[in-house]
Amino acid sequence: MNNGVAQNNNQQKNTQQTVTSPQQNTFTPNSKVDTHIQQPQTQPVITQSVTVPTTQIVNGQPIGIIAQKATEQAPKEVPKKKVNLLPFLIIVILLLIGAIFYLVQKNKADVARLNFECSPVGYKEETDLDLNSTIVQDLYSKVKTNIREDLASVNFDNAMKLYLAYRQIAEDKIYESNCNLFSKTAMEPYTCPETATFTPMAFKEETMQLELKKLFGENANIPDGNVQIGKNCMGGYQYIEQRGEYVKGYCEEQSATIFSANKKLVSAKSYGNYITLTEEVKYIGNQNAQVPEQLKSGTYQYTFKLDTNYNYIYINKEYIEKY
């Protein structure tokens, strides 16, 4: 029994020792870890590796950059604000268009100020023009004269220039008028009878000046005057300064003639800003009357020049001697 009591006492001591004494675990390098032991759980920490460049200093002098890694929490990315460039681009485009428009207009103004010698036509070689072309026929119609006009005057003076300009006036610029201030002696044989059977026609002096500038150039400076060549019934418009009008008179003389003229345009040439028309003329008389001396058969040349208003203006008419 004593042995049994002693055995029981030893078991109780062992039990007490187990309860009261804390268990110590010793780990050795080759010991196995009990995978059934629960480890305390912790929240994961997100970190980012950032490379911070540093400069190594040796003897007070930097010799290089050494990359160091530092672990820090990633900063929160802030979204960038978008900038709308469309209004700015529209303004730039409008400014460019305005600048181009200004330069174009300035260039046109500079061209308009060029002197009479400048021209938009610049052929370096003489060029033959088609005799049936619009430009040739138009120019020839402005200067070609008939036998009656040649008999009245062959001079290229202001009276002839006024007469040629008058021929260019459109019919819608001429209107019915009256004989007020018409001089009966200023351009005989023209008169202006105030009767029920005669109504004088008229046109404005600015109409005449416009045609003079178109035909002879801006700087022609041809003064207003009576439209009459010679002392016969050719023209018939008297310039009345007080009225600012040209008024047509009445002439009773016959306009028939016993002479005739054959005229033919034989060539048209262009050189630079000039155009020349060459005309062959044959005046014809009869057995009873010889052709007047002032009428010369032969070759005539008309010269035109393009001015800064893009009008081919009439420069002169020349008789070309064959010998």
Side-chain angles (χ1 to χ4, degrees):
M1 289 183 63
N2 292 331
N3 292 330
V5 174
Q7 184 177 0
N8 290 333
N9 291 332
N10 291 330
Q11 291 177 353
Q12 290 178 357
K13 290 180 180 180
N14 293 331
T15 303
Q16 293 176 355
Q17 183 176 2
T18 303
V19 174
T20 59
S21 299
Q23 185 177 358
Q24 296 180 356
N25 295 324
T26 303
F27 295 94
T28 61
N30 295 325
S31 63
K32 295 182 180 180
V33 179
D34 188 357
T35 58
H36 296 287
I37 298 175
Q38 296 183 353
Q39 298 293 333
Q41 298 181 356
T42 59
Q43 294 294 331
V45 178
I46 301 173
T47 61
Q48 182 177 2
S49 179
V50 180
T51 301
V52 180
T54 61
T55 304
Q56 186 177 4
I57 307 298
V58 177
N59 295 329
Q61 297 295 330
I63 62 172
I65 296 176
I66 302 175
Q68 294 183 348
K69 291 186 178 180
T71 303
E72 62 181 8
Q73 190 173 356
K76 187 177 180 181
E77 185 177 355
V78 179
K80 295 182 179 180
K81 185 178 179 181
K82 295 182 178 180
V83 179
N84 187 7
L85 298 178
L86 182 59
F88 176 75
L89 293 176
I90 292 176
I91 293 174
V92 172
I93 292 173
L94 291 177
L95 289 175
L96 289 175
I97 293 174
I100 293 172
F101 178 79
Y102 169 77
L103 291 175
V104 171
Q105 294 301 317
K106 184 177 182 300
N107 183 61
K108 290 181 179 179
D110 291 339
V111 172
R113 288 193 296 270
L114 294 177
N115 59 31
F116 185 74
E117 296 299 323
C118 296
S119 167
V121 179
Y123 298 113
K124 295 182 179 181
E125 297 181 356
E126 190 175 66
T127 304
D128 290 325
L129 301 178
D130 184 0
L131 297 182
N132 295 319
S133 64
T134 303
I135 183 65
V136 171
Q137 290 297 317
D138 180 60
L139 293 178
Y140 189 45
S141 67
K142 292 178 179 180
V143 297
K144 182 182 179 180
T145 55
N146 56 38
I147 183 61
R148 292 179 58 249
E149 293 165 337
D150 291 343
L151 285 169
S153 177
V154 293
N155 299 319
F156 191 60
D157 53 13
N158 282 348
M160 177 59 74
K161 292 178 180 179
L162 284 167
Y163 177 78
L164 294 176
Y166 148 71
R167 294 198 319 181
Q168 312 306 314
I169 297 176
E171 292 184 1
D172 61 348
K173 299 296 183 181
I174 302 175
Y175 49 86
E176 293 184 357
S177 186
N178 56 68
C179 293
N180 185 27
L181 300 178
F182 191 97
S183 174
K184 296 180 180 180
T185 59
M187 49 182 301
E188 296 177 348
Y190 282 97
T191 61
C192 192
E194 299 193 14
T195 63
T197 58
F198 176 72
T199 301
M201 308 300 290
F203 56 85
K204 298 291 185 181
E205 63 179 320
E206 52 264 29
T207 301
M208 172 62 83
Q209 284 299 319
L210 177 61
E211 296 301 331
L212 285 169
K213 290 180 179 180
K214 287 167 58 179
L215 189 57
F216 300 104
E218 291 286 340
N219 300 323
N221 294 324
I222 301 171
D224 289 291
N226 297 335
V227 180
Q228 183 185 26
I229 50 176
K231 291 296 182 179
N232 51 28
C233 297
M234 294 297 300
Y237 278 85
Q238 185 176 118
Y239 172 60
I240 304 178
E241 184 178 2
Q242 298 91 324
R243 294 174 51 176
E245 290 180 317
Y246 283 79
V247 180
K248 187 173 179 60
Y250 175 76
C251 185
E252 294 182 348
E253 292 185 1
Q254 300 294 323
S255 59
T257 179
I258 59 175
F259 303 104
S260 63
N262 292 332
K263 297 187 177 184
K264 182 181 179 181
L265 186 64
V266 294
S267 72
K269 297 182 181 296
S270 174
Y271 179 80
N273 55 348
Y274 288 91
I275 288 181
T276 57
L277 307 180
T278 303
E279 174 190 57
E280 292 290 341
V281 178
K282 178 64 177 178
Y283 290 108
I284 303 170
N286 57 33
Q287 294 180 351
N288 297 325
Q290 297 294 323
V291 176
E293 292 183 358
Q294 70 268 24
L295 300 181
K296 295 181 179 180
S297 297
T299 303
Y300 290 84
Q301 187 176 80
Y302 303 90
T303 302
F304 301 86
K305 188 175 185 179
L306 188 65
D307 69 356
T308 54
N309 290 317
Y310 299 92
N311 292 319
Y312 274 100
I313 60 176
Y314 186 20
I315 301 299
N316 58 23
K317 176 183 178 180
E318 293 181 283
Y319 177 74
I320 301 176
E321 300 284 350
K322 290 186 176 181
Y323 306 103

